């Protein structure tokens, strides 16, 4: 029986205001279980606790009982983000600097290399049971599957995208587009999604199964990698019905409402700018009735996909309570990139749809107007290094050890997660593993921020990014960025201009010169290759994966 979405209390931790103690040297009894939740293509503001109208009570409760970051960065697109997250390395050093395709260079081989250890490998060596349920997307060949890279139990799909349902009645029409079945792998064996079953539910069911069947003498690590709300737009009818009419106001009004809530919540600070209006997004009031009806349906389904994911988080919390693991579990939550912008067909359903938007025959996606809402108050979208493309909501929850309801600047990065987990797990990160020299971790532990001792992650050097010719550097309040094919650097003061509305590169040539020089030095030592040298002859469409 499906539980009511809003009736999944997560429980309260110790008395409000209790100060968490710093985790000292951990022994086997004190080491926490760890759950890392990654969602796919979800915008910065799509959780209620980040300003959204979408109902996410379970994640909102985790944030209220834990900590949130205003700034947390991924790599702006799926495979490179997962490569960095799973290994703690910059994506080129892990072998996936472009995508999960081989471009003929070590930093672009398209699967995780052996000089980079996964958190499954490190934590298993430290005595953890290691589980994965969901999307992998860091190597398609079976030698690269989760079971071969440190996971005791695993379930999910290997490549970058999947239907949420067996195609069923739509199979014959849609087979050429995506296939009739949902191909999955469980514990190294190929399997398929049962007809009528929803993939988000199946991912959750398997995660709960792994917890039920664990060796309870060992702590466990669960990497729960939902593909929601990545396209195609598909969700259970009862979930979609909750949002009927919710988006009739349109993206212009709803964006202003999100901004107002973000100011109340402290996500947007009083002195900060917000991104200017995306000129490619039409004014909602200028659309026809039919156009409005079509666009509303897209966002109703998208919201339903986010809600179903949140409901799954509630199921997970209930399982922790049942298993007696509630008080000794760390949960981290983030998205792999920003919302997916770009247009397919401006005012029509996508031509490959074989059924209504939301059904197993749907091939639709959010598209730019609603992505513009999802990334509020930031600029740009997935696969771009302006803030909307690679800044994610980030929540950490750990009863009695993480302060309740705290909102911090943070300025964390996915390369910081591995050292954080290893610190809390008392795990040794080796210099050599199974005959391979292992690269040192470039990130910093988030623990000083998570336990309330610091407001931002302390670093000795800036953060750097490159993908498909797009480049960025973050150092203190300064953000240097360029978008391919332009070689021109833009400079923003994010402390005042979070919306990236004022390029101040002409005013601060010294900062541009210093940060760009550091970028090129980093690129030389991190297997980054000039994109024009390796660019595929036919651009691979990764924006839809």
């Amino acid at each position: 029986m499906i539980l009511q979405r809003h009736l999944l209390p997560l429980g309260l931790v110790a008395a409000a205001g209790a100060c968490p103690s710093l985790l000292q040297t951990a022994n086997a009894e004190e080491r926490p279980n760890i759950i890392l939740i990654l969602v796919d293509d979800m915008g910065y503001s799509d959780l209620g606790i980040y300003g959204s109208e979408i109902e996410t009570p379970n994640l909102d409760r985790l944030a209220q009982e834990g900590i949130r970051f205003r700034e947390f960065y991924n790599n702006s697109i799926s495979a490179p983000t997962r490569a960095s997250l799973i290994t703690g390395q910059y994506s080129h050093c892990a072998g996936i600097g472009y995508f999960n395709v081989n471009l003929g260079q070590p930093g672009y081989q398209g699967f995780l290399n052996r000089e980079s250890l996964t958190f499954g490998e490190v934590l298993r060596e430290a005595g953890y049971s290691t589980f994965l349920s969901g999307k992998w997307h860091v190597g398609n060949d079976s030698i690269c599957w989760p079971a071969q890279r440190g996971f005791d139990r695993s379930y999910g799909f290997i490549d970058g995208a999947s239907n949420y349902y067996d195609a069923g009645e739509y199979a014959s029409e849609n087979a050429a587009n995506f296939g009739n079945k949902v191909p999955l792998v469980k514990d190294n064996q190929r399997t398929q999604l049962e007809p009528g079953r929803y993939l988000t539910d199946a991912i959750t069911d398997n995660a709960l199964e792994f917890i039920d069947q664990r060796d309870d003498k060992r702590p466990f690590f669960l990497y729960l990698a939902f593909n929601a709300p990545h396209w195609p737009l598909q969700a259970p009818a009862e979930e979609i019905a909750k949002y009927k009419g919710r988006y009739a106001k349109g993206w212009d009004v709803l964006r202003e409402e999100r901004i107002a809530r973000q100011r109340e919540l402290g996500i947007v600070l009083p002195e900060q700018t917000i991104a200017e209006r995306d000129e490619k997004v039409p004014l909602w009031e200028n659309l026809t009735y039919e156009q409005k009806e079509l666009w509303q349906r897209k966002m109703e389904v998208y919201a339903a996909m986010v809600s179903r994911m949140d409901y799954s988080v509630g199921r997970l919390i209930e399982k922790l309570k049942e298993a007696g693991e509630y008080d000794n579990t760390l949960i981290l939550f983030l998205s792999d990139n920003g919302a997916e912008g770009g247009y397919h067909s401006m005012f029509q359903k996508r031509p490959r749809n074989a059924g209504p938007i939301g059904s197993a025959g749907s091939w639709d996606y959010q598209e730019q107007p609603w992505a513009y809402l999802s990334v509020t108050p930031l600029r740009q979208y997935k696969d771009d290094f302006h803030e909307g493309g690679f800044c994610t909501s980030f929540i950490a929850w750990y009863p009695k050890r993480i302060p309740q309801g705290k909102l911090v600047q943070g300025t964390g990065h996915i390369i910081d997660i591995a050292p954080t987990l290893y610190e809390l797990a008392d795990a040794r990160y080796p210099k050599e593993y199974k005959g391979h020299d292992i690269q040192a971790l470039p990130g910093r532990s988030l623990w000083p921020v998570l336990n309330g001792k610091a407001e931002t992650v302390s670093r000795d050097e800036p953060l750097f990014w490159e993908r498909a010719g797009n480049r960025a550097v973050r150092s203190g309040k300064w953000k240097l960025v360029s978008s391919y094919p332009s070689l021109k650097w833009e400079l923003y003061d994010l402390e005042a201009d979070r919306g990236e509305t004022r390029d101040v590169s002409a005013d601060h040539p010294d900062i541009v010169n210093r940060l760009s020089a550091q970028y090129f030095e980093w690129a030389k030592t991190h297997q980054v290759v000039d994109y024009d040298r390796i660019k595929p002859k036919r651009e691979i469409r990764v924006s839809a994966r």
Side-chain angles (χ1 to χ4, degrees):
M1 185 174 79
I2 294 177
L3 299 172
Q4 293 295 317
R5 305 294 181 261
H6 61 287
L7 296 179
L8 279 177
L10 299 183
L12 297 175
V13 296
C19 180
S21 60
L22 176 64
L23 185 67
Q24 303 295 336
T25 303
N27 61 41
E29 287 72 35
E30 293 172 333
R31 295 190 300 169
N33 305 304
I34 299 167
I35 299 174
L36 175 59
I37 303 172
L38 183 71
V39 294
D40 203 338
D41 283 16
M42 192 189 82
Y44 178 78
S45 69
D46 279 331
L47 299 181
I49 201 70
Y50 276 82
S52 180
E53 69 293 327
I54 300 174
E55 297 174 19
T56 55
N58 298 299
L59 285 164
D60 292 352
R61 181 72 64 84
L62 288 182
Q64 290 159 357
E65 297 178 357
I67 195 168
R68 282 170 294 155
F69 283 25
R70 292 188 187 90
E71 294 181 350
F72 197 93
Y73 291 102
N74 50 51
N75 286 342
S76 86
I77 199 162
S78 181
T81 284
R82 289 160 206 275
S84 288
L85 182 69
I86 290 168
T87 67
Q89 301 292 338
Y90 280 111
S91 60
H92 305 78
C93 291
I96 306 184
Y98 176 71
F99 213 56
N100 65 329
V101 293
N102 192 342
L103 299 184
Q105 295 286 335
Y108 303 84
Q109 66 183 26
F111 58 93
L112 296 182
N113 58 39
R114 291 290 174 175
E115 294 75 40
S116 304
L117 292 183
T118 73
F119 40 39
E121 290 165 328
V122 176
L123 292 173
R124 184 160 69 179
E125 289 290 322
Y128 274 69
S129 298
T130 54
F131 310 136
L132 160 69
S133 192
K135 175 175 171 177
W136 184 234
H137 204 202
V138 286
N140 289 359
D141 193 285
S142 60
I143 65 171
C144 306
W145 287 1
Q148 281 65 261
R149 294 308 307 257
F151 289 91
D152 299 324
R153 303 292 309 277
S154 57
Y155 170 87
F157 60 98
I158 300 300
D159 205 355
S162 173
N163 272 333
Y164 291 80
Y165 291 107
D166 178 293
E169 64 183 289
Y170 304 109
S172 60
E173 295 180 70
N174 213 31
N177 301 323
F178 206 59
N180 296 341
K181 305 293 183 182
V182 178
L184 302 166
V185 173
K186 184 170 185 177
D187 297 332
N188 253 11
Q189 300 297 314
R190 293 189 182 276
T191 184
Q192 291 178 342
L193 190 67
E194 300 91 330
R197 199 175 188 197
Y198 187 58
L199 184 56
T200 298
D201 295 343
I203 289 170
T204 308
D205 292 343
N206 279 270
L208 302 186
E209 175 192 314
F210 296 158
I211 294 173
D212 273 337
Q213 297 176 358
R214 77 196 186 285
D215 176 357
D216 61 8
K217 295 181 176 62
R218 304 167 64 194
F220 70 84
F221 168 63
L222 169 63
Y223 175 34
L224 183 56
F226 291 110
N227 59 319
H230 191 290
W231 66 261
L233 292 178
Q234 298 174 356
E238 70 272 16
E239 205 77 62
I240 300 169
K242 291 166 50 179
Y243 292 96
K244 183 65 177 176
R246 186 79 61 91
Y247 292 92
K249 294 178 181 179
W251 42 73
D252 295 307
V253 171
L254 287 165
R255 184 172 183 272
E256 292 305 314
E257 290 181 356
R258 286 198 185 188
I259 290 167
R261 282 192 292 270
Q262 288 175 328
R263 293 196 189 282
E264 292 173 7
L265 291 165
I267 301 295
V268 176
L269 298 174
E271 66 274 14
Q272 288 182 320
T273 64
I274 59 173
E276 295 175 343
R277 194 183 192 285
D278 185 342
E279 294 179 353
K280 294 182 180 178
V281 174
L283 292 169
W284 181 261
E285 65 186 25
N286 289 344
L287 303 183
T288 67
Y289 172 82
E290 290 79 9
Q291 290 165 351
K292 289 178 180 178
E293 289 293 299
L294 171 64
W295 282 104
Q296 285 182 66
R297 179 66 175 184
K298 286 176 187 262
M299 196 60 189
E300 289 167 4
V301 178
Y302 178 91
M305 295 167 77
V306 174
S307 276
R308 192 67 161 212
M309 174 275 297
D310 179 81
Y311 173 58
S312 293
V313 173
R315 293 180 61 202
L316 178 65
I317 294 298
E318 291 300 304
K319 177 59 66 177
L320 293 177
K321 291 179 179 179
E322 291 173 16
E325 301 290 354
Y326 180 81
D327 288 326
N328 191 39
T329 300
L330 167 70
I331 298 179
L332 303 178
F333 174 91
L334 70 159
S335 178
D336 68 342
N337 46 249
E340 186 181 350
Y343 291 92
H344 179 80
S345 179
M346 183 58 204
F347 298 121
Q348 303 174 30
K349 285 192 291 188
R350 300 189 75 165
R352 292 191 292 183
N353 277 0
I357 298 173
S359 73
S362 171
W363 197 254
D364 249 292
Y365 74 106
Q366 197 184 22
E367 294 200 57
Q368 197 150 323
W370 288 125
Y372 165 66
L373 173 66
S374 286
V375 300
T376 305
L378 308 177
R379 174 182 172 187
Q380 274 297 336
Y381 313 98
K382 173 180 177 178
D383 202 19
D384 187 276
F385 289 141
H386 291 89
E387 293 289 283
F390 71 149
C391 196
T392 173
S393 51
F394 179 81
I395 296 169
W397 176 89
Y398 188 1
K400 302 176 185 177
R401 294 194 183 274
I402 287 179
Q404 293 189 54
K406 193 164 185 182
L407 175 62
V408 297
Q409 193 67 12
T411 318
H413 187 285
I414 45 178
I415 60 173
D416 301 327
I417 288 180
T420 306
L421 303 189
Y422 303 159
E423 178 181 354
L424 294 175
D426 198 24
R428 185 181 73 88
Y429 186 77
K431 294 182 179 180
E432 186 272 340
Y433 182 79
K434 295 185 178 180
H436 298 277
D437 292 331
I438 302 304
Q439 303 173 95
L441 293 171
R444 297 291 180 267
S445 173
L446 300 167
W447 187 241
V449 181
L450 298 186
N451 68 21
K453 304 297 183 184
E455 285 288 317
T456 59
V457 181
S458 177
R459 303 184 192 280
D460 299 326
E461 61 179 16
L463 291 167
F464 302 95
W465 292 266
E466 189 280 337
R467 202 205 81 86
N470 298 319
R471 309 171 295 175
V473 182
R474 178 68 193 269
S475 179
K477 69 178 184 176
W478 297 109
K479 161 93 170 285
L480 193 68
V481 61
S482 70
S483 299
Y484 184 84
S486 173
L487 297 176
K488 181 184 181 299
W489 291 109
E490 304 164 18
L491 181 68
Y492 298 100
D493 173 0
L494 293 187
E495 201 171 86
D497 187 19
R498 189 75 196 282
E500 297 173 296
T501 62
R502 298 187 299 273
D503 175 7
V504 294
S505 56
D507 300 327
H508 301 281
D510 54 329
I511 296 173
V512 173
N513 291 338
R514 174 172 58 85
L515 294 183
S516 60
Q518 289 179 295
Y519 169 83
F520 289 115
E521 185 60 32
W522 170 84
K524 278 194 296 186
T525 57
H526 286 73
Q527 303 190 49
V528 177
V529 176
D530 184 347
Y531 183 55
D532 285 325
R533 284 180 50 200
I534 59 170
K535 182 179 179 181
K537 291 182 179 178
R538 182 176 61 84
E539 182 69 13
I540 298 168
R541 286 195 71 246
V542 299
S543 63
R545 299 184 69 180

